[in-house]
Amino acid sequence: ADAKAVAALWSEAGTHGGLIVGARIRDGRESVQQMWATGFSQPSRDPARKLSVAISRIQFLRPDVASVDARNTYHGGQTAAGGLRPDTGELLFAVLTRENGTWTIASSRVAPLISSSAR
């Protein structure tokens, strides 16, 4: 729940947003940090809910630029009624750059997973 530490994964000019209609694009590390701080401070946030990231592909476009495809899965935690929350997920697409030996996210987008039963 450390918004500053999470936002440090982005470059100073990095962007982040969702791939859904009306999604806001966060421009710059400070805006990304504000987004995480807001999310972490929500009264409905369940600290038992965890995130796992499974990287499916890394493609080096240049020695200092890579594109990453991954799947984020949120698991654990309880519903308001006390039951176990179902897993949810999203696809993550990111471009990372390396400057002075450090990789940071230059641009990232997430898209919610849609179950086959929703089609």
Side-chain angles (χ1 to χ4, degrees):
D2 184 341
K4 185 174 183 176
V6 175
L9 298 171
W10 276 262
S11 66
E12 280 294 324
T15 66
H16 177 75
L19 292 174
I20 58 172
V21 174
R24 178 177 171 196
I25 302 297
R26 307 296 174 145
D27 287 309
R29 184 184 292 153
E30 186 175 316
S31 181
V32 171
Q33 182 176 333
Q34 290 170 354
M35 175 196 71
W36 284 106
T38 298
F40 289 148
S41 67
Q42 295 297 312
S44 60
R45 181 180 175 275
D46 184 347
R49 192 117 170 115
K50 303 299 179 197
L51 166 67
S52 60
V53 179
I55 296 172
S56 57
R57 179 182 170 141
I58 299 173
Q59 180 180 9
F60 288 91
L61 307 173
R62 298 189 328 214
D64 59 342
V65 178
S67 68
V68 177
D69 297 339
R71 179 180 175 157
N72 295 335
T73 302
Y74 301 90
H75 48 90
Q78 293 186 339
T79 65
L84 184 62
R85 288 179 68 180
D87 288 357
T88 59
E90 62 193 1
L91 298 176
L92 167 68
F93 308 98
V95 174
L96 282 72
T97 57
R98 184 175 58 191
E99 294 183 32
N100 301 320
T102 301
W103 287 95
T104 56
I105 301 168
S107 182
S108 61
R109 300 294 183 269
V110 291
L113 288 175
I114 300 171
S115 70
S116 58
S117 63
R119 290 184 210 164

